[in-house]
Amino acid sequence: MGITRKLEVKTPVPVDIDIANSAEPLPISVIAEELGLQSQEIEFYGNRKAKVLLSVKDRLKDSPDGYYVVVGGITPTPLGEGKSTTTVGLCQALGAHLGKKVVTCLRQPSQGPTFGIKGGAAGGGYSQVIPMDEFNLHMTGDIHAITAANNLLAAAIDARNFHESTQSDKALFNRLCPADKDKNRVFAKAMEKRLKKLGIEKTNPNDLTPEEVNRFSRLDMDPAKITWKRVLDVNDRFLRKITVGQGPEEKGMTRETGFDIAVASEIMAVLALTTSLRDMRERLGNMVVATSRGGDAVTADDLCVGGALTVLMKDAINPTLMQTLEGTPVLVHAGPFANIAHGNSSIVADQIALKLVGPGGFVVTEAGFGADIGTEKFMNIKCRYSGLKPQCAVIVATVRALKMHGGGPEVVAGRPLDHAYKTENLELLRKGCVNMAKHIENTKLYGVNVVVAVNAFATDTAEELAAVKEAAIAAGAFDAVVCTHFAHGGAGAADLGIAVQKACEQQNGVFKFLYPLDLGIKEKIGMIAKSYGADGVEYSLEAENQIETYTRQGFAGLPICMAKTQYSFSHNAAAKGVPTGFILPIRDVRASVGAGFIYPLVGTMSTMPGLPTRPCFFDIDVDLETGMIVGLS
């Protein structure tokens, strides 16, 4: 890279927000110019962030791509193992210390964790995205756009059911296709897709038969099979289950429903997997929101709202350009749940970045949670839709997490770490390395080189770090490197950068998916379960019925997005290491048809987190003297 920002580290490492506030970001126009963006391809949001327009994809469509690197991790503790920090530190190393053109691609964090229990997701220590406060809060409003679009669709669903229940076919049709003063009617453009779906080829509404009027006008949604929920980007447990339609005007049409957190919306998953504005319009319209009483899938385009959703999302489709503490560029875009959805940032950000860095450059993107969830979904869902193929996968490991997998005491967020994690214990550590080895084995199945990044903590001993490296190499890793990027920034990940470069340059495997799409839903689920170490899969009656329904509706060819705990290869969060001999229970199967995947639910998954007794917002405030935000973590 050309212009970078010199990092001045302090010991001990200050808190994240103090480091971020002490750094003066380079003007975002400088970052954009260094990256090769033209003035007409960016829209500034102040002088510290900007939207990158998709037109850059068209300009560079014939340019060769750079190297593509995904960062996953071992099965984490509830404290996290520094995957985002490692992603940022690696990019700072490549760009500011090794002279490579590099772009970091990250998800946008939700306000739920920011104000709840986990905190922000900008990295940490001296490997952060700045401005950290803007990154973790409103940024450029993408999540707000998703919230607005999601709730417009929710309102459309209930309104349509209300109007269908209170009107005759004739009255309903007259309002859907109103006649002018000469009694002429026209179909709105938004109705064309529904007409085609129904096999009605007539272009004049007056020519429809009474039977066609009925089929066209009535979606006949079964209130018990409406799957679309409202969303809010706040951890509000009391909205998990609510009743709507309590007003007197709704004529007793009450319905039990609930709220999800905004980033769990299918619209977020659509944003992350779309490849163009046209593709996003198609995906939004294809979202299935309910099943009719006749068993048919009801979509957003059946409600004629797909176009309006696209209008609300038209700016959100553009990635946001920011920077690291050392002035290397970052594209922040989308933030789908990693256990419910696929947990990866957007395809369009990666596509743009790969063209901008060019041959010999690097795009490093992070996959959510452990490699069994985030990296698996990156490979089998994101890469399938993007057509991109990574050359290297990084797996982040810590001594702390490996000791836990070796049988160490329970690790609980908010409680002090047990003495076992602060003192040398090679026996416990080596037992736990089986978890890392399993992740390496699984990731190598895709035909990519694997590099293990050992994220070092102050309490780790040289012998422990050496033992992790030794176990990683023995398990088949291309290389394993100890990193200190939290304390030293990019300089602490320079060796990791060199290892990743070599892994990309020496990549000679053939990229392959875990399963072909033409297998049945159960067969694909079974192959993923086998990669976890399961002996088989058990389906509830509800799951069996949903699989039959989705197969009948034509959705069996979609990839699978397993929704399970991030704390174990199995469905049991308490089962550490590499569990074997278990049967994976599937309690329900749902579809995100617009986004493009089937998601089986392994156990109970919450899509609306709750606030703890002492949420992060206790410490968040504004310094009234300086105007700086304090307390973010």
Side-chain angles (χ1 to χ4, degrees), residues 375-581:
T375 303
E376 183 269 309
K377 295 174 183 179
F378 170 87
M379 301 292 188
N380 290 307
I381 300 176
K382 184 176 179 180
C383 289
R384 207 184 291 267
Y385 284 122
S386 70
L388 300 174
K389 300 175 182 178
Q391 288 76 42
C392 174
V394 175
I395 294 178
V396 179
T398 62
V399 168
R400 174 180 70 195
L402 292 171
K403 285 181 176 179
M404 178 190 72
H405 288 294
E410 185 180 12
V411 177
V412 180
R415 292 186 198 168
L417 274 174
D418 189 271
H419 184 68
Y421 297 107
K422 300 176 183 179
T423 55
E424 185 175 289
N425 190 326
L426 292 172
E427 182 182 359
L428 199 63
L429 175 64
R430 290 192 175 110
K431 285 182 180 177
C433 282
V434 295
N435 182 269
M436 177 179 63
K438 179 65 172 172
H439 284 295
I440 293 170
E441 174 192 335
N442 282 0
T443 305
K444 287 184 67 179
L445 291 174
Y446 301 102
V448 300
N449 283 333
V450 176
V451 173
V452 172
V454 188
N455 185 19
F457 287 63
T459 52
D460 300 340
T461 68
E463 289 77 10
E464 287 176 327
L465 295 170
V468 177
K469 289 178 61 178
E470 180 183 352
I473 298 298
F478 179 88
D479 203 351
V481 182
V482 175
C483 311
T484 59
H485 44 276
F486 180 87
H488 304 116
D495 289 344
L496 176 63
I498 292 169
V500 166
Q501 180 180 347
K502 288 180 180 178
C504 289
E505 292 172 345
Q506 297 177 33
Q507 167 62 26
N508 53 18
V510 177
F511 180 80
K512 50 187 177 291
F513 299 116
L514 184 63
Y515 53 82
L517 290 182
D518 57 4
L519 290 180
I521 292 174
K522 281 189 173 181
E523 287 76 15
K524 287 181 283 197
I525 292 172
M527 292 186 74
I528 298 173
K530 185 178 178 181
S531 76
Y532 298 156
D535 281 354
V537 183
E538 181 180 76
Y539 297 90
S540 70
L541 179 60
E542 185 176 9
E544 294 274 10
N545 290 337
Q546 285 302 113
I547 289 171
E548 187 279 326
T549 297
Y550 293 141
T551 302
R552 176 173 49 79
Q553 292 176 341
F555 305 140
L558 294 174
I560 302 298
C561 185
M562 298 289 276
K564 78 169 186 71
T565 178
Q566 65 269 34
Y567 295 125
S568 174
F569 274 109
S570 75
H571 57 286
N572 177 10
K576 304 304 180 186
V578 182
T580 57

Side-chain angles (χ1 to χ4, degrees), residues 35 37 41 52-58 60 65 103 105 317-319 331 333 346-358 363 388:
L35 199 49
L37 289 164
E41 294 168 344
V52 178
L53 306 185
L54 298 195
S55 57
V56 69
K57 282 180 61 182
D58 298 327
L60 298 176
D65 290 346
V103 175
C105 290
I317 197 174
N318 300 311
L331 286 178
H333 202 209
S346 78
I347 285 174
V348 292
D350 290 0
Q351 290 175 330
I352 289 170
L354 284 164
K355 297 298 183 186
L356 288 171
V357 299
V363 171
L388 300 174

Side-chain angles (χ1 to χ4, degrees), residues 45-182:
Y45 283 64
N47 65 353
R48 306 200 293 186
K49 56 187 183 291
K51 282 282 193 180
V52 178
L53 306 185
L54 298 195
S55 57
V56 69
K57 282 180 61 182
D58 298 327
R59 176 170 66 86
L60 298 176
K61 65 180 184 297
D62 296 324
S63 300
D65 290 346
Y67 292 122
Y68 196 28
V69 180
V70 60
V71 179
I74 64 170
T75 306
T77 69
L79 305 178
E81 309 318 307
K83 190 152 43 61
S84 299
T85 307
T86 301
T87 303
V88 175
L90 169 59
C91 291
Q92 290 180 170
L94 288 166
H97 298 270
L98 299 176
K100 304 298 179 181
K101 201 166 186 180
V102 64
V103 175
T104 314
C105 290
L106 293 176
R107 287 181 293 167
Q108 179 184 354
S110 165
Q111 288 181 176
T114 298
F115 291 112
I117 191 169
K118 186 178 178 183
Y126 287 103
S127 294
Q128 291 189 56
V129 179
I130 56 171
M132 184 256 241
D133 55 343
E134 296 179 27
F135 177 89
N136 282 315
L137 299 175
H138 306 285
M139 211 168 68
T140 47
D142 293 355
I143 292 179
H144 301 317
I146 288 163
T147 302
N150 185 102
N151 292 343
L152 172 63
L153 181 50
I157 292 165
D158 284 319
R160 183 60 174 262
N161 256 7
F162 170 75
H163 291 302
E164 287 189 21
S165 72
T166 58
Q167 299 177 46
S168 66
D169 287 356
K170 182 178 179 181
L172 191 61
F173 183 67
N174 286 342
R175 287 174 172 83
L176 291 173
C177 299
D180 61 20
K181 61 182 180 180
D182 297 320

Side-chain angles (χ1 to χ4, degrees), residues 21-40:
N21 284 342
S22 68
E24 182 58 40
L26 296 167
I28 202 66
S29 58
V30 172
I31 303 293
E33 184 177 354
E34 281 289 304
L35 199 49
L37 289 164
Q38 298 179 356
S39 59
Q40 70 272 19

